[in-house]
């Protein structure tokens, strides 16, 4: 079964006060810890100055999370 969590925001966005239409935006690691098998990241990624660097950082963060599971 897949558990998809939409409305995932990157930590940097929440630190800058970026608003979202989602009632409870999740951070990637928190969504995975809560049981998500897939996460949906929109504006946090598409509006990033360097989306490839953001994805590399996210992959690193989630890789460390998996290693500790």
């Amino acid at each position: 079964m897949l558990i998809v969590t939409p409305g995932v925001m990157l930590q940097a966005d929440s630190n800058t006060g970026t608003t979202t239409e989602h009632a409870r935006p999740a951070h990637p690691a928190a969504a995975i810890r809560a049981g998500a098998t897939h996460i949906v990241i929109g504006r946090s990624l598409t509006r990033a100055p360097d989306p490839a660097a953001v994805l590399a950082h996210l992959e690193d963060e989630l890789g460390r999370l998996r290693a500790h599971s």
Side-chain angles (χ1 to χ4, degrees):
M1 176 171 33
L2 300 177
I3 301 172
V4 180
T5 301
V8 174
M9 288 181 61
L10 302 176
Q11 187 67 36
D13 289 339
S14 63
N15 291 342
T16 62
T18 300
T19 59
T20 178
E21 70 274 3
H22 300 285
R24 295 182 321 231
H27 299 290
I32 298 297
R33 277 190 224 104
T37 59
H38 293 73
I39 57 176
V40 179
I41 303 172
R43 280 170 253 163
S44 294
L45 182 58
T46 61
R47 293 183 180 172
D50 187 355
V54 172
L55 283 175
H57 175 75
L58 182 59
E59 186 176 54
D60 251 5
E61 179 183 340
L62 295 179
R64 285 191 304 273
L65 180 65
R66 282 190 294 269
H68 290 108
S69 298

